[in-house]
Amino acid sequence: MNALAEIRSRFLPVLESHSDSATELLGMIRPAGDPKFGDYQANVAMPLGKKVGKSPRDLAAEIMDAISLEGLCSNTEVAGPGFINLTLDNAWLKNQLLASLADDRLGVEQVTNPKTYIVDFSSPNVAKPMHVGHIRSTVIGDAIAKILGFVGHKVITDNHVGDWGTQFGMIIYGYKNFLDPAAYESEPVGELSRLYRKVRQLIDYHGALANIDGVRTEIDTLGGQLEQLKAQQAATEEKSAVKKIKKEISATQKRLKAKQETLESFEKKITAVETGELATEANAHPEIGTAVLLETAALHKGDAQNLALWNEFLPACREDMQKIYRRLGVSFDHELGESFYNDQLQAVVDDFEAKGFARTSDGALCVFMNDYDTPMIIRKKDGAFLYSTTDLATIKYRDDEFDADACLYVVDHRQHEHFEKLFDAARLWGYTETEYKHVAFGTVMGDDGKPFKTRDGDTVGLGGLLDDAESKALKIAIDQNPDLSEERQKEIASVIGIGGLKYVDLSQNRASDYEFSYEKMLALKGNTATYLQFSYARIQGIIRKTGADPTAIRKNPVPFEFATDIERELAVKLIRFSEALDDVLVEYKPNMLCAYLFELTQIFFRFLEQCSVKDAQSESLKQSRLQFCDLMSRTIQTGLGLLGIEVVEQM
Ligand code: ARG
């Protein structure tokens, strides 16, 4: 049973008799920040007192008189200006532990009002290799889907693969102009990515060439402005005016720096091509950017040759993507992909036009919405449909097919505006019953504080990242288990390596950028998967050493004993597993579960320091402690499992 939910449900009727926003007040009942205030704290009396004009202390006392916490809390007190401190009853706690021990779900109840969720995640653009950015959507989305499902919701996962975009125009162009047939024969995906990179490089080169003078001029202008501002600053005395100028200086410096960085990257792109082997080809393909767009447009219009090439490339690209998912242990209910919606786009656009939700502006068909400077374009001037058009078609299809209550899009935060507009357009279109949510995440950064790149400035490929993680983990596996067979060591390395990689990502607040580091990822101490996996294996070792059989521990339980304070502390934390899952789902933040598992494990190690299991003072205490060990290891295993991470029995 969820203690917090139970406490809240007992407060609810009493709060309702005082206020019509009782449900909101429930949020003010929370776990106590400090154990000296008990296990939970209800800070409802302060805001309520203010509202109804009563002293919070009196009101708190009144609430406590009216409420029944019989059997649930052993101690309640009103403290300070009107805090209500609540301590769980030990007998209740022990009963909960016994119930969890006997329950595969560790006492986590299923929601009483299950909803249907669609989780749109991973969704890479195929035909270019998956890179480090894709790890985030993949592991965060997978964890959210697993947790939603575990608490009892119906979950439909859909990998909205980008299989219809410009990248295909690029490889089609590359195929027609630069193909190495032997390489394509022996390793099609490798050759296609080479073509992709080459075409990308040539497009970027010509782009840089075309824009570099403009950037230089902008730098000169900004430099001039900066000089002027500095002169102004020197000539000004009035304080507030100086402050204003300083602000302008710093803003100009920032803009200047950004432009200088652009210039640098342009210069690099130009030099790389002109001094490298692509120089002749660059000259031979000056219009490559436009040509690629034309190839994409031809594909979308059903051009026979391009369509045949697309049909030839796609299976290989998809298989390459599946290899990564197999290694990550991630799967999807659907992988419809953008191309699936191709023949539905015209109807979407027609409907928007017919209903008057879209109108032509500058030749493009646009959906205008308040709050935005620019409209959402659903058909370009040249007649092409866009990413947004496909996403609208996807909304309609999913609504017809799955009738979900909510749809979560686990996508990079840079697509924020796209999704805001998309959701508004969907509501305008009549999809008002479904909750749409962009579950956004930040960027993976390198130790230089910039987006994580390889030494040559390429994005870091996901396949290589997994290889690195596994090979680094192999060192740990060998260190920890020198006597195991090589095969076993490799299996362990895969669990530690992949788990570490996932956890490093999941343990960050998804909204922030984070710095990638292999050391941190595989550290044996700290908030890492390795630490939790290691703890799990350690507990298995403890249970093994006592000669106990885990199934027997569960089948013939003894009453739990709190011989020390730490045992009670561990008990409270253990029963809060379901709260941790609720915490994740408030804002779809898996890091809440990581934090819980980490804190739990720290408490558990304090328990181990203070309480001997094998040499407990009595047989019943030993059994009780073994039961703690069993609950503990299953909580780690289940918790990590919900994050898509495995454990090993020995490590
Ligand atoms: N393929 C897109 C990208 O790589 C992400 C798609 C996300 N899902 C969606 N329904 N728009 O940027």
Side-chain angles (χ1 to χ4, degrees), residues 189-220:
V189 180
E191 174 60 5
L192 291 179
S193 0
R194 185 189 71 84
L195 292 175
Y196 171 80
R197 281 197 300 268
K198 180 165 178 166
V199 174
R200 170 92 269 163
Q201 201 181 353
L202 291 176
I203 294 178
D204 287 351
Y205 165 76
H206 286 295
L209 215 51
N211 292 307
I212 195 162
D213 285 342
V215 176
R216 287 201 179 108
T217 316
E218 280 175 288
I219 289 179
D220 285 347

PDB file of all heavy atoms in Angstrom, residues 189-220:
ATOM      1  N   VAL A 189      24.919  -0.946 -45.341  1.00  0.00           N
ATOM      2  CA  VAL A 189      24.640   0.180 -44.444  1.00  0.00           C
ATOM      3  C   VAL A 189      25.879   1.046 -44.239  1.00  0.00           C
ATOM      4  O   VAL A 189      25.807   2.276 -44.194  1.00  0.00           O
ATOM      5  CB  VAL A 189      24.108  -0.318 -43.083  1.00  0.00           C
ATOM      6  CG1 VAL A 189      23.816   0.854 -42.171  1.00  0.00           C
ATOM      7  CG2 VAL A 189      22.850  -1.131 -43.288  1.00  0.00           C
ATOM      8  N   GLY A 190      27.034   0.376 -44.187  1.00  0.00           N
ATOM      9  CA  GLY A 190      28.286   1.121 -44.034  1.00  0.00           C
ATOM     10  C   GLY A 190      28.483   2.047 -45.226  1.00  0.00           C
ATOM     11  O   GLY A 190      28.842   3.214 -45.071  1.00  0.00           O
ATOM     12  N   GLU A 191      28.211   1.539 -46.414  1.00  0.00           N
ATOM     13  CA  GLU A 191      28.386   2.349 -47.610  1.00  0.00           C
ATOM     14  C   GLU A 191      27.356   3.484 -47.645  1.00  0.00           C
ATOM     15  O   GLU A 191      27.679   4.619 -47.985  1.00  0.00           O
ATOM     16  CB  GLU A 191      28.292   1.464 -48.861  1.00  0.00           C
ATOM     17  CG  GLU A 191      28.316   2.195 -50.196  1.00  0.00           C
ATOM     18  CD  GLU A 191      29.572   3.028 -50.471  1.00  0.00           C
ATOM     19  OE1 GLU A 191      30.507   2.983 -49.653  1.00  0.00           O
ATOM     20  OE2 GLU A 191      29.610   3.740 -51.493  1.00  0.00           O
ATOM     21  N   LEU A 192      26.127   3.180 -47.242  1.00  0.00           N
ATOM     22  CA  LEU A 192      25.102   4.231 -47.246  1.00  0.00           C
ATOM     23  C   LEU A 192      25.466   5.337 -46.257  1.00  0.00           C
ATOM     24  O   LEU A 192      25.286   6.521 -46.549  1.00  0.00           O
ATOM     25  CB  LEU A 192      23.719   3.654 -46.916  1.00  0.00           C
ATOM     26  CG  LEU A 192      23.108   2.747 -47.984  1.00  0.00           C
ATOM     27  CD1 LEU A 192      21.750   2.223 -47.534  1.00  0.00           C
ATOM     28  CD2 LEU A 192      22.972   3.481 -49.322  1.00  0.00           C
ATOM     29  N   SER A 193      26.007   4.959 -45.098  1.00  0.00           N
ATOM     30  CA  SER A 193      26.374   6.036 -44.161  1.00  0.00           C
ATOM     31  C   SER A 193      27.552   6.831 -44.700  1.00  0.00           C
ATOM     32  O   SER A 193      27.646   8.032 -44.462  1.00  0.00           O
ATOM     33  CB  SER A 193      26.711   5.587 -42.743  1.00  0.00           C
ATOM     34  OG  SER A 193      26.616   4.273 -42.549  1.00  0.00           O
ATOM     35  N   ARG A 194      28.449   6.141 -45.415  1.00  0.00           N
ATOM     36  CA  ARG A 194      29.560   6.897 -46.006  1.00  0.00           C
ATOM     37  C   ARG A 194      28.987   7.911 -47.005  1.00  0.00           C
ATOM     38  O   ARG A 194      29.370   9.080 -47.012  1.00  0.00           O
ATOM     39  CB  ARG A 194      30.530   5.949 -46.726  1.00  0.00           C
ATOM     40  CG  ARG A 194      31.783   6.640 -47.264  1.00  0.00           C
ATOM     41  CD  ARG A 194      32.615   5.715 -48.158  1.00  0.00           C
ATOM     42  NE  ARG A 194      31.994   5.441 -49.451  1.00  0.00           N
ATOM     43  CZ  ARG A 194      32.086   6.214 -50.532  1.00  0.00           C
ATOM     44  NH1 ARG A 194      32.787   7.334 -50.485  1.00  0.00           N
ATOM     45  NH2 ARG A 194      31.491   5.890 -51.665  1.00  0.00           N
ATOM     46  N   LEU A 195      28.038   7.457 -47.823  1.00  0.00           N
ATOM     47  CA  LEU A 195      27.432   8.359 -48.806  1.00  0.00           C
ATOM     48  C   LEU A 195      26.735   9.518 -48.105  1.00  0.00           C
ATOM     49  O   LEU A 195      26.857  10.674 -48.494  1.00  0.00           O
ATOM     50  CB  LEU A 195      26.424   7.599 -49.676  1.00  0.00           C
ATOM     51  CG  LEU A 195      27.026   6.561 -50.627  1.00  0.00           C
ATOM     52  CD1 LEU A 195      25.925   5.789 -51.340  1.00  0.00           C
ATOM     53  CD2 LEU A 195      27.947   7.234 -51.645  1.00  0.00           C
ATOM     54  N   TYR A 196      26.019   9.171 -47.022  1.00  0.00           N
ATOM     55  CA  TYR A 196      25.317  10.215 -46.274  1.00  0.00           C
ATOM     56  C   TYR A 196      26.308  11.270 -45.782  1.00  0.00           C
ATOM     57  O   TYR A 196      26.124  12.470 -45.973  1.00  0.00           O
ATOM     58  CB  TYR A 196      24.561   9.605 -45.078  1.00  0.00           C
ATOM     59  CG  TYR A 196      24.009  10.672 -44.170  1.00  0.00           C
ATOM     60  CD1 TYR A 196      22.826  11.327 -44.498  1.00  0.00           C
ATOM     61  CD2 TYR A 196      24.693  11.062 -43.021  1.00  0.00           C
ATOM     62  CE1 TYR A 196      22.341  12.340 -43.698  1.00  0.00           C
ATOM     63  CE2 TYR A 196      24.223  12.075 -42.225  1.00  0.00           C
ATOM     64  CZ  TYR A 196      23.034  12.714 -42.567  1.00  0.00           C
ATOM     65  OH  TYR A 196      22.567  13.729 -41.773  1.00  0.00           O
ATOM     66  N   ARG A 197      27.391  10.783 -45.175  1.00  0.00           N
ATOM     67  CA  ARG A 197      28.366  11.727 -44.603  1.00  0.00           C
ATOM     68  C   ARG A 197      29.025  12.578 -45.689  1.00  0.00           C
ATOM     69  O   ARG A 197      29.244  13.767 -45.510  1.00  0.00           O
ATOM     70  CB  ARG A 197      29.424  10.963 -43.808  1.00  0.00           C
ATOM     71  CG  ARG A 197      28.926  10.552 -42.415  1.00  0.00           C
ATOM     72  CD  ARG A 197      30.083  10.181 -41.514  1.00  0.00           C
ATOM     73  NE  ARG A 197      30.844   9.076 -42.069  1.00  0.00           N
ATOM     74  CZ  ARG A 197      30.609   7.790 -41.796  1.00  0.00           C
ATOM     75  NH1 ARG A 197      29.642   7.481 -40.960  1.00  0.00           N
ATOM     76  NH2 ARG A 197      31.327   6.839 -42.337  1.00  0.00           N
ATOM     77  N   LYS A 198      29.293  11.925 -46.805  1.00  0.00           N
ATOM     78  CA  LYS A 198      29.957  12.642 -47.894  1.00  0.00           C
ATOM     79  C   LYS A 198      29.050  13.749 -48.447  1.00  0.00           C
ATOM     80  O   LYS A 198      29.465  14.899 -48.586  1.00  0.00           O
ATOM     81  CB  LYS A 198      30.317  11.650 -48.993  1.00  0.00           C
ATOM     82  CG  LYS A 198      31.002  12.257 -50.173  1.00  0.00           C
ATOM     83  CD  LYS A 198      31.624  11.148 -51.005  1.00  0.00           C
ATOM     84  CE  LYS A 198      32.280  11.730 -52.236  1.00  0.00           C
ATOM     85  NZ  LYS A 198      33.157  10.763 -52.871  1.00  0.00           N
ATOM     86  N   VAL A 199      27.797  13.382 -48.726  1.00  0.00           N
ATOM     87  CA  VAL A 199      26.868  14.375 -49.276  1.00  0.00           C
ATOM     88  C   VAL A 199      26.662  15.503 -48.262  1.00  0.00           C
ATOM     89  O   VAL A 199      26.689  16.688 -48.597  1.00  0.00           O
ATOM     90  CB  VAL A 199      25.529  13.701 -49.654  1.00  0.00           C
ATOM     91  CG1 VAL A 199      24.503  14.733 -50.075  1.00  0.00           C
ATOM     92  CG2 VAL A 199      25.755  12.688 -50.767  1.00  0.00           C
ATOM     93  N   ARG A 200      26.508  15.115 -46.995  1.00  0.00           N
ATOM     94  CA  ARG A 200      26.347  16.107 -45.923  1.00  0.00           C
ATOM     95  C   ARG A 200      27.527  17.083 -45.944  1.00  0.00           C
ATOM     96  O   ARG A 200      27.370  18.298 -45.888  1.00  0.00           O
ATOM     97  CB  ARG A 200      26.259  15.331 -44.607  1.00  0.00           C
ATOM     98  CG  ARG A 200      26.321  16.054 -43.316  1.00  0.00           C
ATOM     99  CD  ARG A 200      24.975  16.431 -42.788  1.00  0.00           C
ATOM    100  NE  ARG A 200      24.622  17.760 -43.278  1.00  0.00           N
ATOM    101  CZ  ARG A 200      23.414  18.272 -43.288  1.00  0.00           C
ATOM    102  NH1 ARG A 200      22.405  17.559 -42.862  1.00  0.00           N
ATOM    103  NH2 ARG A 200      23.182  19.470 -43.724  1.00  0.00           N
ATOM    104  N   GLN A 201      28.715  16.501 -46.059  1.00  0.00           N
ATOM    105  CA  GLN A 201      29.924  17.327 -46.008  1.00  0.00           C
ATOM    106  C   GLN A 201      29.974  18.296 -47.193  1.00  0.00           C
ATOM    107  O   GLN A 201      30.325  19.463 -47.039  1.00  0.00           O
ATOM    108  CB  GLN A 201      31.175  16.431 -46.013  1.00  0.00           C
ATOM    109  CG  GLN A 201      32.384  17.150 -45.465  1.00  0.00           C
ATOM    110  CD  GLN A 201      33.640  16.279 -45.485  1.00  0.00           C
ATOM    111  OE1 GLN A 201      33.588  15.091 -45.793  1.00  0.00           O
ATOM    112  NE2 GLN A 201      34.768  16.883 -45.153  1.00  0.00           N
ATOM    113  N   LEU A 202      29.572  17.798 -48.358  1.00  0.00           N
ATOM    114  CA  LEU A 202      29.593  18.668 -49.540  1.00  0.00           C
ATOM    115  C   LEU A 202      28.530  19.766 -49.438  1.00  0.00           C
ATOM    116  O   LEU A 202      28.777  20.921 -49.805  1.00  0.00           O
ATOM    117  CB  LEU A 202      29.379  17.842 -50.817  1.00  0.00           C
ATOM    118  CG  LEU A 202      30.547  16.897 -51.173  1.00  0.00           C
ATOM    119  CD1 LEU A 202      30.201  16.049 -52.381  1.00  0.00           C
ATOM    120  CD2 LEU A 202      31.825  17.689 -51.425  1.00  0.00           C
ATOM    121  N   ILE A 203      27.374  19.411 -48.923  1.00  0.00           N
ATOM    122  CA  ILE A 203      26.319  20.431 -48.761  1.00  0.00           C
ATOM    123  C   ILE A 203      26.793  21.490 -47.764  1.00  0.00           C
ATOM    124  O   ILE A 203      26.670  22.693 -47.998  1.00  0.00           O
ATOM    125  CB  ILE A 203      25.002  19.795 -48.256  1.00  0.00           C
ATOM    126  CG1 ILE A 203      24.423  18.862 -49.314  1.00  0.00           C
ATOM    127  CG2 ILE A 203      23.993  20.868 -47.886  1.00  0.00           C
ATOM    128  CD1 ILE A 203      23.147  18.146 -48.885  1.00  0.00           C
ATOM    129  N   ASP A 204      27.353  21.019 -46.665  1.00  0.00           N
ATOM    130  CA  ASP A 204      27.827  21.965 -45.650  1.00  0.00           C
ATOM    131  C   ASP A 204      28.923  22.856 -46.211  1.00  0.00           C
ATOM    132  O   ASP A 204      29.004  24.042 -45.905  1.00  0.00           O
ATOM    133  CB  ASP A 204      28.364  21.210 -44.423  1.00  0.00           C
ATOM    134  CG  ASP A 204      27.241  20.606 -43.602  1.00  0.00           C
ATOM    135  OD1 ASP A 204      26.067  20.917 -43.894  1.00  0.00           O
ATOM    136  OD2 ASP A 204      27.526  19.812 -42.680  1.00  0.00           O
ATOM    137  N   TYR A 205      29.769  22.253 -47.054  1.00  0.00           N
ATOM    138  CA  TYR A 205      30.866  23.021 -47.648  1.00  0.00           C
ATOM    139  C   TYR A 205      30.308  24.167 -48.490  1.00  0.00           C
ATOM    140  O   TYR A 205      30.678  25.329 -48.318  1.00  0.00           O
ATOM    141  CB  TYR A 205      31.734  22.096 -48.507  1.00  0.00           C
ATOM    142  CG  TYR A 205      32.678  22.823 -49.441  1.00  0.00           C
ATOM    143  CD1 TYR A 205      33.839  23.421 -48.952  1.00  0.00           C
ATOM    144  CD2 TYR A 205      32.396  22.925 -50.805  1.00  0.00           C
ATOM    145  CE1 TYR A 205      34.696  24.106 -49.809  1.00  0.00           C
ATOM    146  CE2 TYR A 205      33.243  23.598 -51.659  1.00  0.00           C
ATOM    147  CZ  TYR A 205      34.392  24.191 -51.163  1.00  0.00           C
ATOM    148  OH  TYR A 205      35.230  24.873 -52.004  1.00  0.00           O
ATOM    149  N   HIS A 206      29.380  23.832 -49.377  1.00  0.00           N
ATOM    150  CA  HIS A 206      28.833  24.883 -50.238  1.00  0.00           C
ATOM    151  C   HIS A 206      28.025  25.896 -49.430  1.00  0.00           C
ATOM    152  O   HIS A 206      28.042  27.089 -49.733  1.00  0.00           O
ATOM    153  CB  HIS A 206      27.997  24.273 -51.370  1.00  0.00           C
ATOM    154  CG  HIS A 206      28.853  23.636 -52.428  1.00  0.00           C
ATOM    155  ND1 HIS A 206      29.703  24.373 -53.216  1.00  0.00           N
ATOM    156  CD2 HIS A 206      29.033  22.347 -52.792  1.00  0.00           C
ATOM    157  CE1 HIS A 206      30.359  23.553 -54.044  1.00  0.00           C
ATOM    158  NE2 HIS A 206      29.972  22.310 -53.797  1.00  0.00           N
ATOM    159  N   GLY A 207      27.363  25.405 -48.408  1.00  0.00           N
ATOM    160  CA  GLY A 207      26.622  26.318 -47.530  1.00  0.00           C
ATOM    161  C   GLY A 207      27.575  27.297 -46.861  1.00  0.00           C
ATOM    162  O   GLY A 207      27.330  28.506 -46.814  1.00  0.00           O
ATOM    163  N   ALA A 208      28.678  26.762 -46.365  1.00  0.00           N
ATOM    164  CA  ALA A 208      29.658  27.604 -45.680  1.00  0.00           C
ATOM    165  C   ALA A 208      30.239  28.622 -46.654  1.00  0.00           C
ATOM    166  O   ALA A 208      30.358  29.821 -46.340  1.00  0.00           O
ATOM    167  CB  ALA A 208      30.763  26.736 -45.088  1.00  0.00           C
ATOM    168  N   LEU A 209      30.557  28.137 -47.837  1.00  0.00           N
ATOM    169  CA  LEU A 209      31.153  29.007 -48.852  1.00  0.00           C
ATOM    170  C   LEU A 209      30.206  30.166 -49.189  1.00  0.00           C
ATOM    171  O   LEU A 209      30.625  31.318 -49.321  1.00  0.00           O
ATOM    172  CB  LEU A 209      31.407  28.163 -50.105  1.00  0.00           C
ATOM    173  CG  LEU A 209      32.638  28.468 -50.927  1.00  0.00           C
ATOM    174  CD1 LEU A 209      33.886  28.505 -50.060  1.00  0.00           C
ATOM    175  CD2 LEU A 209      32.805  27.387 -52.010  1.00  0.00           C
ATOM    176  N   ALA A 210      28.924  29.822 -49.301  1.00  0.00           N
ATOM    177  CA  ALA A 210      27.954  30.839 -49.697  1.00  0.00           C
ATOM    178  C   ALA A 210      27.711  31.857 -48.587  1.00  0.00           C
ATOM    179  O   ALA A 210      27.348  32.999 -48.854  1.00  0.00           O
ATOM    180  CB  ALA A 210      26.641  30.164 -50.085  1.00  0.00           C
ATOM    181  N   ASN A 211      27.906  31.446 -47.350  1.00  0.00           N
ATOM    182  CA  ASN A 211      27.517  32.330 -46.242  1.00  0.00           C
ATOM    183  C   ASN A 211      28.670  32.963 -45.496  1.00  0.00           C
ATOM    184  O   ASN A 211      28.465  33.821 -44.642  1.00  0.00           O
ATOM    185  CB  ASN A 211      26.646  31.547 -45.256  1.00  0.00           C
ATOM    186  CG  ASN A 211      25.309  31.193 -45.871  1.00  0.00           C
ATOM    187  OD1 ASN A 211      24.612  32.070 -46.373  1.00  0.00           O
ATOM    188  ND2 ASN A 211      24.969  29.919 -45.893  1.00  0.00           N
ATOM    189  N   ILE A 212      29.882  32.540 -45.807  1.00  0.00           N
ATOM    190  CA  ILE A 212      31.006  32.983 -44.970  1.00  0.00           C
ATOM    191  C   ILE A 212      31.244  34.498 -45.054  1.00  0.00           C
ATOM    192  O   ILE A 212      31.517  35.143 -44.038  1.00  0.00           O
ATOM    193  CB  ILE A 212      32.290  32.177 -45.284  1.00  0.00           C
ATOM    194  CG1 ILE A 212      33.312  32.390 -44.158  1.00  0.00           C
ATOM    195  CG2 ILE A 212      32.887  32.550 -46.647  1.00  0.00           C
ATOM    196  CD1 ILE A 212      34.402  31.356 -44.122  1.00  0.00           C
ATOM    197  N   ASP A 213      31.075  35.065 -46.231  1.00  0.00           N
ATOM    198  CA  ASP A 213      31.292  36.505 -46.335  1.00  0.00           C
ATOM    199  C   ASP A 213      30.283  37.271 -45.498  1.00  0.00           C
ATOM    200  O   ASP A 213      30.626  38.256 -44.841  1.00  0.00           O
ATOM    201  CB  ASP A 213      31.219  36.955 -47.799  1.00  0.00           C
ATOM    202  CG  ASP A 213      32.493  36.547 -48.545  1.00  0.00           C
ATOM    203  OD1 ASP A 213      33.509  36.264 -47.855  1.00  0.00           O
ATOM    204  OD2 ASP A 213      32.463  36.476 -49.788  1.00  0.00           O
ATOM    205  N   GLY A 214      29.058  36.783 -45.527  1.00  0.00           N
ATOM    206  CA  GLY A 214      28.010  37.407 -44.720  1.00  0.00           C
ATOM    207  C   GLY A 214      28.392  37.399 -43.247  1.00  0.00           C
ATOM    208  O   GLY A 214      28.228  38.398 -42.544  1.00  0.00           O
ATOM    209  N   VAL A 215      28.904  36.272 -42.787  1.00  0.00           N
ATOM    210  CA  VAL A 215      29.274  36.164 -41.371  1.00  0.00           C
ATOM    211  C   VAL A 215      30.429  37.118 -41.060  1.00  0.00           C
ATOM    212  O   VAL A 215      30.446  37.787 -40.026  1.00  0.00           O
ATOM    213  CB  VAL A 215      29.660  34.713 -41.014  1.00  0.00           C
ATOM    214  CG1 VAL A 215      30.138  34.613 -39.584  1.00  0.00           C
ATOM    215  CG2 VAL A 215      28.483  33.789 -41.223  1.00  0.00           C
ATOM    216  N   ARG A 216      31.393  37.196 -41.988  1.00  0.00           N
ATOM    217  CA  ARG A 216      32.527  38.118 -41.770  1.00  0.00           C
ATOM    218  C   ARG A 216      32.019  39.550 -41.628  1.00  0.00           C
ATOM    219  O   ARG A 216      32.455  40.288 -40.745  1.00  0.00           O
ATOM    220  CB  ARG A 216      33.516  38.022 -42.929  1.00  0.00           C
ATOM    221  CG  ARG A 216      34.322  36.736 -42.893  1.00  0.00           C
ATOM    222  CD  ARG A 216      35.617  36.876 -43.690  1.00  0.00           C
ATOM    223  NE  ARG A 216      36.366  35.634 -43.610  1.00  0.00           N
ATOM    224  CZ  ARG A 216      36.504  34.769 -44.618  1.00  0.00           C
ATOM    225  NH1 ARG A 216      35.947  35.025 -45.799  1.00  0.00           N
ATOM    226  NH2 ARG A 216      37.207  33.660 -44.454  1.00  0.00           N
ATOM    227  N   THR A 217      31.088  39.931 -42.508  1.00  0.00           N
ATOM    228  CA  THR A 217      30.547  41.290 -42.430  1.00  0.00           C
ATOM    229  C   THR A 217      29.860  41.512 -41.086  1.00  0.00           C
ATOM    230  O   THR A 217      30.048  42.551 -40.438  1.00  0.00           O
ATOM    231  CB  THR A 217      29.514  41.519 -43.569  1.00  0.00           C
ATOM    232  OG1 THR A 217      30.056  40.994 -44.766  1.00  0.00           O
ATOM    233  CG2 THR A 217      29.159  42.965 -43.727  1.00  0.00           C
ATOM    234  N   GLU A 218      29.086  40.517 -40.677  1.00  0.00           N
ATOM    235  CA  GLU A 218      28.385  40.654 -39.385  1.00  0.00           C
ATOM    236  C   GLU A 218      29.379  40.817 -38.248  1.00  0.00           C
ATOM    237  O   GLU A 218      29.164  41.604 -37.317  1.00  0.00           O
ATOM    238  CB  GLU A 218      27.512  39.426 -39.140  1.00  0.00           C
ATOM    239  CG  GLU A 218      26.206  39.470 -39.890  1.00  0.00           C
ATOM    240  CD  GLU A 218      25.409  38.179 -39.712  1.00  0.00           C
ATOM    241  OE1 GLU A 218      25.822  37.149 -40.280  1.00  0.00           O
ATOM    242  OE2 GLU A 218      24.415  38.215 -38.996  1.00  0.00           O
ATOM    243  N   ILE A 219      30.498  40.081 -38.332  1.00  0.00           N
ATOM    244  CA  ILE A 219      31.508  40.182 -37.277  1.00  0.00           C
ATOM    245  C   ILE A 219      32.103  41.592 -37.261  1.00  0.00           C
ATOM    246  O   ILE A 219      32.269  42.207 -36.195  1.00  0.00           O
ATOM    247  CB  ILE A 219      32.602  39.105 -37.463  1.00  0.00           C
ATOM    248  CG1 ILE A 219      32.010  37.734 -37.140  1.00  0.00           C
ATOM    249  CG2 ILE A 219      33.823  39.401 -36.590  1.00  0.00           C
ATOM    250  CD1 ILE A 219      32.957  36.576 -37.302  1.00  0.00           C
ATOM    251  N   ASP A 220      32.373  42.115 -38.452  1.00  0.00           N
ATOM    252  CA  ASP A 220      32.902  43.483 -38.519  1.00  0.00           C
ATOM    253  C   ASP A 220      31.920  44.476 -37.904  1.00  0.00           C
ATOM    254  O   ASP A 220      32.293  45.335 -37.117  1.00  0.00           O
ATOM    255  CB  ASP A 220      33.154  43.887 -39.984  1.00  0.00           C
ATOM    256  CG  ASP A 220      34.409  43.201 -40.512  1.00  0.00           C
ATOM    257  OD1 ASP A 220      35.168  42.642 -39.684  1.00  0.00           O
ATOM    258  OD2 ASP A 220      34.613  43.200 -41.750  1.00  0.00           O
TER     259      ASP A 220
END
